[in-house]
Amino acid sequence: MTPDDVRVETAVAAVRHLAGRIGPRPGTSAAYRRAAAWVEHRLLKTGWRVDRQRFATPAGVSWGVPVPAGPSLNLLATRGEIRAGRPWLLVGAHLDTVPQAPGAEDNASGVGVLLAVAEALADRRTRLPVVLAVFGSEEPRGPGDEDHHYGSRAYVARLDPVQRRTLRGMISLDRVGVGAALPVGSAGGPDPLHAEVLAAGRRAGVATLPETDQRSSDHWSFVRAGLPGVRLGSTPYAGYHSAGDLPGVVEAAQLHRAARTVAAWLG
């Protein structure tokens, strides 16, 4: 796989559908389930096997709006290459939104890039086997770490010791459609995976912006469990967590930077 293999049009179309047609999709809502079914269909269509991982999400207040408790789900896409005891990689993006936001940038952008990568990988190989994860209930339902990232925390909790030992890196795609350079964030200071992804960006010809102490995405669920994770994305924008987070906010050029960087890292 090379950076030139990804089609940004796939990511743009996903943003338009998820934010323009489905709209707000809190993790326990019927709209979230519709969005998950749509993403699952796209993954299956490009030859991926998809498993649903269900988990409970508590009630709470999400960005000022009360939200009910209920089940949510992660989508886990593989191509039959993952073998116990062998090294593997993971790319993830959260599909849910806060209740008041259509979620174009946060986070149809990340899901769109993940789908573009899935499409490009349909007939191509990577340096290590890959899992693609679509996480539910990432958005906050309270003020602290324990009120956030429910889907990725559920996923990490169910990894067995062998899977934990062999995971070589996780990238979280979260708000990757705004800006002139691609933020690459580590949860603490610079670390080997952070340097590896920045190097992938350079190979892909992408302008990157190194960040540290970045914990506000699903990579933090991995890092806090002792696993390697970084985040792509996080450029501030006016529509954040609001009704203004519409498809027009998202820039195809930034989606392309994110997809090219992931492709270079996986290749």
Side-chain angles (χ1 to χ4, degrees):
M1 185 182 189
T2 73
D4 293 337
D5 294 328
V6 291
R7 293 179 61 255
V8 71
E9 294 84 0
T10 299
V12 171
V15 170
R16 289 174 178 165
H17 183 85
L18 292 169
R21 298 191 63 181
I22 295 178
R25 45 194 185 277
T28 59
S29 66
Y32 179 82
R33 293 188 290 276
R34 288 197 302 274
W38 184 83
V39 172
E40 181 178 38
H41 177 71
R42 291 298 177 278
L43 290 167
L44 292 169
K45 194 173 180 181
T46 50
W48 292 77
R49 171 185 169 183
V50 182
D51 294 315
R52 292 186 167 207
Q53 183 181 66
R54 301 182 187 278
F55 60 92
T57 307
V61 176
S62 185
W63 213 251
V65 179
V67 284
S72 189
L73 62 91
N74 299 325
L75 301 175
L76 309 176
T78 60
R79 295 191 304 164
E81 302 165 331
I82 304 297
R83 296 182 182 179
R86 303 284 184 87
W88 58 291
L89 303 172
L90 187 143
V91 179
H94 77 88
L95 178 59
D96 64 305
T97 70
V98 295
Q100 60 271 56
E105 170 68 343
D106 191 13
N107 186 40
S109 65
V111 175
V113 168
L114 184 145
L115 289 174
V117 169
E119 177 187 65
L121 281 174
D123 331 337
R124 297 175 178 91
R125 299 180 65 181
T126 52
R127 60 189 171 93
L128 292 173
V130 179
V131 173
L132 303 179
V134 178
F135 295 121
S137 294
E138 185 272 348
E139 295 291 1
R141 294 187 169 220
D145 276 351
E146 300 308 314
D147 305 308
H148 212 184
H149 310 138
Y150 296 97
S152 55
R153 284 165 50 203
Y155 177 80
V156 170
R158 297 178 196 181
L159 291 175
D160 65 37
V162 173
Q163 290 171 319
R164 291 169 183 257
R165 188 177 70 247
T166 53
L167 177 62
R168 293 292 180 262
M170 180 271 182
I171 285 180
S172 176
L173 300 165
D174 194 350
R175 290 171 39 204
V176 293
V178 171
L182 180 67
V184 180
S186 64
D191 58 46
L193 179 60
H194 190 230
E196 191 178 296
V197 177
L198 288 167
R202 290 192 294 273
R203 292 195 304 274
V206 169
T208 55
L209 178 63
E211 294 184 343
T212 57
D213 299 313
Q214 171 59 265
R215 300 183 177 183
S216 56
S217 188
D218 286 309
H219 69 298
W220 176 233
S221 298
F222 291 76
V223 175
R224 67 189 295 204
L227 303 172
V230 299
R231 173 184 180 171
L232 297 190
S234 74
T235 305
Y237 67 111
Y240 177 64
H241 280 190
S242 78
D245 193 1
L246 296 164
V249 167
V250 173
E251 304 157 17
Q254 186 75 326
L255 295 175
H256 206 193
R257 292 183 193 103
R260 288 180 61 84
T261 298
V262 173
W265 181 65
L266 293 176

